[in-house]
Amino acid sequence: METRNPVLKSRTFAGYARPVELGEGMTIQGTVNKTGFLLLLAFATSAWVWWMFYTSGDASTVGPYVLLGAIGGLVVALVTVFKQAWAPITAPLYALLEGLVLGGVSAMFESLYHGIVLEAVGLTFGVLACMLLAYKSGLIRATEKFKVGVIAATGGIVLLYVASFVLGFFGVQIPGIFGNGPVGILFSLVVVGIAALNLVLDFDAIERGVAGGAPKFMEWFGAFALLVTLVWLYLEILRLLAKFQWR
């Protein structure tokens, strides 16, 4: 059963399920270390764009960097998905590019709602810690039914976002769910919940990779996949907090 993280699937590691010599295989600690490194890279470029925004006070100054990060990050992410062995190079590059997007978007939200970014960051890592604790304690188990439910919900959200994007070209807006009213807030709460549950599927897939003897470079791929989920979670939390503060 695959996750709906766009890049990480439980079967991602299945092709590497073979014995490896001691020290050569994927480990949990190695994946954690590499995830931390990718987060630091993303923070570095986001802080740079943030500084540019507040120095100039003009959103157009950082606009090109946000666009570069969004398009470049998508391309690098796709390359990483199809060329997993390149992850030791492409995962850090993705983190740097994604940091450009996070820095620009965060700075713009912060200029509108003071303190919102710190709250969003704290909530994101708080959710990560809670989901990891719930997973490790057995409170939440990645059963087949659980996976099917999360996959279906995530797939529905993806289709809704795609439909909204396409309809936007024709001037059609989906009413309610993207607004700041009660319906929009409820929708954002649901999306944040689904994003958080995807972390459980990611933890499970990584553990399966370690148990199956995936090669060392898959630590980078696992870290890259976790970063994708965390970025999604952060942006959804940021949007949810903005809706609350607007009201």
Side-chain angles (χ1 to χ4, degrees):
M1 186 63 66
E2 67 183 50
T3 77
R4 262 306 182 178
N5 182 318
V7 299
L8 186 59
K9 307 168 186 175
S10 56
R11 71 180 181 206
T12 295
F13 304 98
Y16 303 107
R18 62 178 185 272
V20 295
E21 296 181 11
L22 184 64
E24 293 183 358
M26 178 183 184
T27 65
I28 296 294
Q29 187 59 54
T31 305
V32 170
N33 292 342
K34 290 172 175 61
T35 301
F37 179 69
L38 295 184
L39 287 171
L40 286 175
L41 291 179
F43 174 78
T45 51
S46 64
W48 178 63
V49 174
W50 178 291
W51 177 83
M52 288 185 60
F53 178 85
Y54 275 93
T55 299
S56 64
D58 184 3
S60 64
T61 304
V62 300
Y65 296 101
V66 173
L67 184 62
L68 171 64
I71 297 176
L74 177 60
V75 171
V76 172
L78 291 174
V79 171
T80 308
V81 169
F82 292 104
K83 293 291 185 179
Q84 297 166 6
W86 295 4
I89 297 174
T90 57
L93 180 58
Y94 171 81
L96 291 170
L97 289 168
E98 202 64 28
L100 298 178
V101 178
L102 295 176
V105 171
S106 297
M108 292 176 193
F109 271 92
E110 182 69 18
S111 67
L112 296 174
Y113 310 105
H114 180 67
I116 192 174
V117 170
L118 186 59
E119 293 177 9
V121 170
L123 285 172
T124 300
F125 284 102
V127 170
L128 173 63
C130 289
M131 299 309 295
L132 181 58
L133 179 61
Y135 175 74
K136 297 301 290 184
S137 66
L139 184 62
I140 298 180
R141 298 182 182 276
T143 63
E144 291 305 309
K145 289 184 178 180
F146 176 86
K147 293 176 183 178
V148 169
V150 175
I151 289 167
T154 309
I157 292 170
V158 171
L159 289 176
L160 186 60
Y161 279 160
V162 171
S164 176
F165 179 76
V166 173
L167 290 174
F169 285 106
F170 302 96
V172 179
Q173 299 292 328
I174 299 178
I177 61 174
F178 296 115
N180 298 316
V183 175
I185 290 175
L186 179 60
F187 175 74
S188 288
L189 283 169
V190 171
V191 175
V192 168
I194 298 302
L197 292 177
N198 269 271
L199 288 171
V200 174
L201 271 62
D202 295 342
F203 298 151
D204 178 69
I206 290 171
E207 281 200 339
R208 289 175 182 270
V210 172
K216 197 71 175 175
F217 69 79
M218 292 302 287
E219 293 178 350
W220 285 104
F221 189 81
F224 158 72
L226 276 174
L227 181 63
V228 170
T229 303
L230 287 172
V231 167
W232 177 33
L233 178 62
Y234 168 76
L235 291 175
E236 293 296 346
I237 289 177
L238 193 62
R239 180 184 298 179
L240 174 61
L241 291 177
K243 290 181 179 181
F244 276 122
Q245 294 205 24
W246 183 87
R247 289 178 64 84

